[in-house]
């Protein structure tokens, strides 16, 4: 390996001057790569992490012939990587591409509209195989010429939208064009799924042109990674899918034993559902094995094999009929395969969940991983270097322990945000969402204090509650009417919203930032409390109503027990307290997106001031947290002084 100095990294930094701390981060990353260690970097939003990371990584990666895979959650973040690469390319020749999912890049509407990646993959493969995708046909005809043209185009890093546009003009498939580019470029910006989801990963690695040990992987917003890994290792199906698989089995060539299994399995689950309390219950992990053994006279492996066969037949039939190749038998088979794998592992839990939506109640069956570390450790062992970055990684030692990478292999750096002068952090005494203390009087007091915050904030206000139950409690206690009196519209998020519904809600809310202000009501851990930015006047105060502890469901208890066994004395901390405080910290950080943002952060639950919660808040909040007395007007006094002095 060729050693690179921080000097080379500084030389490819494309802007006139560094923001405070950027030079320190660049030197730290360059040195960590030189030593061959993984990196954990906590730096505040608006710090300019992307450009600092790319400047530090690229000279090392290029001189050692390594590829950089920069993974982030949203398209906006992927595009930012490419924009920064374009800036760097003025100083250092560098190529890159932003990759989206197949259905998002596809030019055929029947694939483009598919949300389920399995279905879009299946559909695309069939269309290609049967010669029915004109864009793929033209791609094959033009492939050689395209390679020539791309060589020229690739001198500039390419946004996904640029690849789609170029391919549209040529009449070829954008996803195939992107695949053609992957082995050629220095940097790929893409979603976590390309390495975390097993089937997607296998395909991705085939086209990468490098082994994973020749890649530096950056995981942006890394506080999400434990949840991403848990989701990737788990699977959930609706119990209706088993019924649909049974219906497919009635028309397909399948043994009576396998058909009988589906019927008995569904019945057994429905019986179990009658006994579950709090909408969730444990399912005996030997249930499908017992049914096979006791009533079906077939092994589970034989049943899975037959269901896979049936699934293929059903898909062929649907394709011939011009329909989508969706088979429930296939879906149930892949779910049972995970069940079979997880059966004797203590890091899995088998659960039955009742879900209520506006469309009614549904039963879901889950094989849920309790521990994210096997997948993250595998990744860190497979790649050249793993760089994880976020604004909320603290406490770093707990994060390292949870994700399972060895402490010796990781260097960490925490960049203190400059918020202390620009953020007012308050806790209100006398208020709590503690279940035992919830009452009409408590909700009225919360509404009263929220109104006080809204009245004394010169811009928009965000209110993020501990749960939808608390959100409903505030509405029932008259929050909307009180705000009407102040002429401040209330925008309420809903779990039933589509992404488009939510985008439109947020756009309207933000439009009030300079028109007298409005209030957004959502939940901690929800999409607006985690994934949305509200800089400037878009959110000048944020109220965190209650500590978002999970309900003590069987799954939550299983996770606490699992961690207690793995890390004695820390089960409750890792399985219960830390996830809640991560949600609260994420929600509290929504208004502080740029280094010059100013905002009031009001923690409306006295428990935030107690030791178990306070020690898990980010250091910069912890140090300036002021506890207010339980009296009307205390919040108003603080807000008036803060906004007057910071204007
Ligand atoms: S080959 Fe490309 S354009 Fe054709 S279906 Fe697949 S993704 Fe869509």
């Amino acid at each position: 390996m060729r050693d690179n100095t921080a000097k080379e990294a500084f030389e490819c930094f494309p802007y006139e001057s560094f923001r405070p701390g950027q030079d320190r981060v660049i030197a730290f990353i360059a040195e960590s790569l030189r030593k061959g260690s993984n990196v954990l970097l906590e730096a505040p939003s608006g710090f300019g992490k992307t450009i600092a990371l790319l400047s530090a990584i690229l000279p090392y990666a290029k001189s050692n012939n390594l590829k950089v895979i920069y993974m982030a959650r949203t398209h906006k973040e992927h595009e930012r990587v490419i924009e920064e690469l374009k800036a760097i390319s003025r100083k250092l020749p560098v190529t890159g591409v932003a990759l989206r999912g197949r259905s998002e890049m596809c030019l055929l509407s029947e694939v483009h509209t598919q949300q389920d990646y399995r279905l879009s993959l299946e559909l695309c493969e069939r269309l290609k195989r049967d010669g029915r995708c004109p864009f793929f046909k033209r791609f094959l005809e033009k492939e050689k010429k395209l390679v020539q043209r791309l060589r020229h185009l690739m001198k500039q890093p390419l946004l996904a939208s640029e690849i789609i546009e170029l391919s549209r003009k040529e009449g070829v498939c954008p996803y195939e064009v992107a695949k053609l580019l992957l082995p050629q470029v220095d940097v790929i910006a893409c979603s976590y799924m390309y390495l975390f989801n097993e089937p997607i990963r296998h395909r991705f690695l085939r086209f990468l042109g490098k082994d994973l040990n020749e890649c530096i992987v950056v995981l942006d917003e890394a506080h999400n990674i434990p949840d991403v890994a848990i989701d990737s290792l788990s699977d959930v199906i609706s119990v209706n899918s088993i019924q649909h698989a049974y219906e497919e089995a009635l028309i397909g060539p399948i043994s009576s034993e396998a058909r009988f299994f589906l019927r008995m399995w569904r019945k057994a689950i429905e019986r179990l559902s009658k006994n579950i309390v709090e909408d969730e219950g444990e399912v005996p992990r030997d249930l499908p094995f017992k049914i096979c053994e006791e009533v079906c006279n077939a092994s589970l492996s034989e049943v899975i094999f037959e269901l896979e066969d049936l699934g293929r037949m059903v898909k062929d039939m649907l394709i011939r009929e011009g329909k989508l190749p969706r088979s429930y038998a296939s879906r149930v088979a892949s779910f049972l395969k995970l069940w079979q794998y997880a059966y004797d592992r203590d890091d899995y839990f088998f659960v039955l969940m009742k879900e209520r939506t506006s469309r009614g109640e549904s039963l879901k069956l889950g094989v849920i991983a309790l521990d994210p570390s096997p997948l993250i450790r595998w990744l860190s062992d497979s790649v050249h270097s793993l760089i994880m970055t976020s604004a909320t990684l603290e406490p770093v030692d707990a994060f390292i322990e949870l994700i399972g990478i060895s402490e010796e292999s990781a260097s960490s750096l925490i960049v203190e945000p400059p918020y202390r002068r620009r953020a007012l952090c308050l806790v209100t005494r006398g208020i709590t969402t503690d279940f035992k203390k919830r009452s009409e009087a408590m909700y009225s007091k919360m509404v009263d204090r929220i109104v006080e915050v809204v009245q004394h904030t010169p811009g928009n206000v965000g209110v993020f509650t501990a749960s939808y139950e608390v959100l409903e409690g505030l509405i029932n206690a008259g929050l909307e009417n009180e705000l009407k009196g102040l002429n401040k519209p209330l925008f309420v998020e809903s779990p039933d919203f589509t992404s488009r519904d939510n985008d439109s809600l947020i756009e309207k809310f933000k439009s009030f930032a300079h028109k007298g202000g409005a209030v957004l009501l959502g939940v901690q851990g929800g999409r607006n409390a985690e994934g949305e930015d509200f800089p400037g006047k878009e959110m000048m105060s944020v109220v965190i109503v209650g500590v978002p502890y999970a309900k003590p469901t069987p799954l939550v208890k299983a996770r606490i027990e699992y961690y207690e066994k793995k890390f004695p004395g820390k089960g409750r901390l890792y399985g219960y307290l830390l996830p809640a405080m991560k949600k609260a910290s994420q929600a509290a950080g929504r208004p502080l997106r740029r280094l010059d943002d100013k905002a009031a952060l009001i923690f409306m639950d006295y428990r935030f001031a107690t030791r178990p919660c306070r020690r898990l808040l980010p250091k910069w909040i912890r140090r300036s947290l002021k506890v207010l007395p339980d009296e009307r007007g205390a919040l108003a006094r603080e807000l008036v002084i803060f906004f007057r002095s910071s204007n």
Side-chain angles (χ1 to χ4, degrees):
M1 286 289 143
R2 219 203 108 199
D3 281 359
N4 283 74
T5 58
K7 188 170 164 278
E8 286 170 81
F10 290 144
E11 276 168 8
C12 83
F13 186 80
Y15 302 120
E16 295 255 302
S17 57
F18 296 110
R19 289 188 192 163
Q22 273 182 328
D23 48 349
R24 191 170 146 229
V25 166
I26 291 174
F28 168 75
I29 303 275
E31 175 61 10
S32 303
L33 288 172
R34 198 186 61 74
K35 286 192 310 201
S37 52
N38 294 316
V39 175
L40 277 99
L41 169 68
E42 180 176 295
S45 303
F47 169 82
K49 273 189 295 253
T50 311
I51 191 63
L53 283 169
L54 289 171
S55 303
I57 297 167
L58 279 168
Y60 178 84
K62 282 186 76 83
S63 55
N64 290 298
N65 199 19
L66 301 169
K67 198 180 281 292
V68 181
I69 306 176
Y70 201 115
M71 315 197 98
R73 211 167 37 87
T74 63
H75 293 334
K76 214 158 92 189
E77 285 155 351
H78 307 152
E79 308 277 274
R80 189 181 305 147
V81 173
I82 300 299
E83 295 295 357
E84 297 291 28
L85 277 182
K86 287 187 182 197
I88 290 179
S89 70
R90 295 195 295 265
K91 293 198 145 191
L92 177 82
V94 62
T95 55
V97 64
L99 183 64
R100 291 195 191 159
R102 180 187 306 263
S103 63
E104 291 154 311
M105 296 190 95
C106 181
L107 298 178
L108 282 181
S109 62
E110 56 198 295
V111 178
H112 185 63
T113 47
Q114 281 313 317
Q115 308 257 354
D116 181 344
Y117 80 89
R118 295 183 194 90
L119 203 53
S120 63
L121 168 66
E122 184 93 36
L123 199 53
C124 165
E125 290 297 327
R126 301 261 173 162
L127 289 166
K128 286 195 314 196
R129 203 178 61 199
D130 301 346
R132 291 196 294 123
C133 173
F135 304 107
F136 183 66
K137 264 200 213 163
R138 230 165 286 139
F139 170 80
L140 291 180
E141 287 157 18
K142 290 187 170 185
E143 192 172 345
K144 278 204 186 110
K145 270 195 206 148
L146 275 170
V147 173
Q148 302 286 338
R149 298 199 47 196
L150 288 172
R151 210 164 275 152
H152 173 69
L153 273 167
M154 260 175 13
K155 287 183 184 146
Q156 272 288 309
L158 289 169
L159 299 165
S161 53
E162 289 171 327
I163 298 173
I164 295 172
E165 212 28 59
L166 165 101
S167 307
R168 201 187 290 279
K169 276 191 197 141
E170 294 284 338
V172 298
C173 167
Y175 193 68
E176 294 297 328
V177 171
K179 267 167 36 185
L180 208 58
L181 292 171
L182 294 185
Q184 323 285 339
V185 294
D186 301 313
V187 180
I188 299 166
C190 58
S191 93
Y192 306 128
M193 286 304 112
Y194 280 96
L195 288 181
F196 281 79
N197 178 301
E198 201 178 343
I200 296 178
R201 177 173 69 235
H202 284 314
R203 290 172 171 273
F204 178 60
L205 294 182
R206 277 210 325 254
F207 300 109
L208 198 58
K210 292 267 185 215
D211 287 336
L212 266 182
N213 61 12
E214 298 169 297
C215 297
I216 296 172
V217 172
V218 180
L219 299 175
D220 201 359
E221 301 290 328
H223 58 274
N224 292 316
I225 291 305
D227 287 344
V228 172
I230 291 276
D231 286 349
S232 305
L233 293 166
S234 308
D235 198 5
V236 175
I237 56 166
S238 82
V239 174
N240 276 342
S241 301
I242 305 173
Q243 173 61 20
H244 292 315
Y246 175 72
E247 284 157 16
E248 286 176 6
L250 288 176
I251 52 158
I254 190 168
S255 69
S256 55
E257 285 85 359
R259 197 180 307 134
F260 193 51
F261 166 82
L262 290 171
R263 198 163 136 225
M264 298 313 287
W265 190 34
R266 185 179 59 78
K267 280 195 165 180
I269 289 162
E270 280 173 356
R271 265 198 308 277
L272 279 172
S273 74
K274 303 219 162 59
N275 302 326
I276 63 175
V277 273
E278 292 280 354
D279 295 344
E280 197 183 290
E282 182 172 6
V283 178
R285 52 179 68 212
D286 60 354
L287 183 68
F289 296 91
K290 264 194 162 167
I291 295 172
C292 281
E293 212 177 281
E294 290 171 10
V295 290
C296 293
N297 198 22
S299 72
L300 188 59
S301 299
E302 284 165 338
V303 170
I304 293 172
F305 186 75
E306 286 207 53
L307 287 172
E308 284 177 329
D309 248 7
L310 172 65
R312 277 189 286 274
M313 191 223 81
V314 169
K315 286 179 200 169
D316 282 340
M317 190 183 77
L318 289 169
I319 287 275
R320 279 199 303 277
E321 290 172 5
K323 294 180 183 158
L324 285 176
R326 184 200 308 267
S327 162
Y328 291 96
S330 285
R331 182 71 190 89
V332 168
S334 84
F335 180 77
L336 281 170
K337 267 186 165 174
L338 179 65
W339 193 305
Q340 212 177 20
Y341 163 79
Y343 164 68
D344 54 2
R345 296 184 62 112
D346 67 348
D347 54 357
Y348 271 88
F349 189 72
F350 299 74
V351 65
L352 184 59
M353 299 165 278
K354 261 186 206 163
E355 267 186 20
R356 286 188 193 86
T357 65
S358 54
R359 274 166 276 137
E361 191 182 279
S362 74
L363 267 183
K364 298 239 161 109
L365 195 56
V367 178
I368 309 291
L370 298 174
D371 186 351
S373 67
L375 185 50
I376 303 171
R377 198 172 42 242
W378 166 82
L379 185 62
S380 92
D381 290 346
S382 307
V383 299
H384 180 85
S385 289
L386 188 61
I387 299 178
M388 287 164 278
T389 173
S390 164
T392 48
L393 286 183
E394 275 190 280
V396 171
D397 51 345
F399 185 76
I400 290 179
E401 203 161 53
L402 274 173
I403 62 174
I405 62 170
S406 77
E407 226 165 308
E408 306 79 61
S409 76
S411 311
S412 60
L413 175 69
I414 296 178
V415 180
E416 287 269 328
Y419 299 143
R420 281 174 72 191
R421 288 192 321 274
R422 301 197 182 103
L424 175 70
C425 303
L426 305 171
V427 181
T428 53
R429 272 200 211 285
I431 295 182
T432 182
T433 58
D434 182 343
F435 199 73
K436 287 176 252 125
K437 295 181 184 159
R438 285 185 203 176
S439 63
E440 272 182 36
M442 183 59 81
Y443 277 116
S444 295
K445 198 196 252 188
M446 288 179 205
V447 168
D448 196 56
R449 299 293 193 272
I450 291 169
V451 167
E452 203 173 311
V453 173
V454 175
Q455 252 175 329
H456 294 92
T457 299
N460 280 353
V461 174
V463 178
F464 294 114
T465 60
S467 64
Y468 277 106
E469 217 174 305
V470 175
L471 182 148
E472 287 295 323
L474 293 177
I475 290 177
N476 294 338
L479 180 63
E480 189 158 18
N481 277 343
E482 293 290 335
L483 294 175
K484 257 188 205 147
L486 300 177
N487 210 12
K488 306 264 184 178
L490 176 67
F491 294 90
V492 186
E493 76 174 32
S494 158
D496 294 337
F497 276 177
T498 61
S499 303
R500 198 172 295 165
D501 294 338
N502 193 64
D503 289 350
S504 134
L505 178 96
I506 295 302
E507 200 183 316
K508 283 184 203 146
F509 166 69
K510 287 184 174 179
S511 74
F512 279 85
H514 296 279
K515 291 191 295 187
V519 177
L520 173 69
L521 181 59
V523 293
Q524 296 167 57
R527 53 183 136 188
N528 297 314
E530 302 252 328
E532 196 58 53
D533 292 349
F534 299 94
K537 283 199 161 195
E538 287 178 7
M539 194 177 281
M540 296 199 73
S541 289
V542 60
V543 187
I544 306 301
V545 184
V547 186
Y549 289 129
K551 276 188 185 169
T553 60
L555 177 57
V556 170
K557 286 182 191 159
R559 187 159 282 134
I560 294 172
E561 267 170 40
Y562 172 80
Y563 279 135
E564 187 59 35
K565 231 195 274 170
K566 188 169 177 183
F567 308 113
K570 294 181 183 169
R572 210 174 119 77
L573 173 66
Y574 288 175
Y576 190 63
L577 297 175
L578 206 50
M581 294 310 291
K582 278 267 170 251
K583 282 186 194 172
S585 304
Q586 276 294 315
R590 288 307 97 197
L592 295 164
R593 311 317 294 166
R594 301 185 302 222
L595 293 185
D596 59 350
D597 280 330
K598 301 159 191 154
L601 280 49
I602 295 114
F603 294 89
M604 206 165 267
D605 193 315
Y606 74 90
R607 292 175 293 176
F608 282 111
T610 61
R611 197 174 171 276
C613 291
R614 190 175 182 143
R615 75 193 165 117
L616 297 176
L617 286 169
K619 206 182 285 169
W620 60 273
I621 295 182
R622 213 157 64 214
R623 283 205 299 239
S624 57
L625 202 60
K626 183 170 177 183
V627 184
L628 296 186
D630 180 17
E631 61 183 42
R632 190 179 264 171
L635 277 166
R637 276 195 297 279
E638 294 290 335
L639 291 167
V640 167
I641 295 168
F642 174 69
F643 285 118
R644 196 190 295 141
S645 66
S646 57
N647 274 337

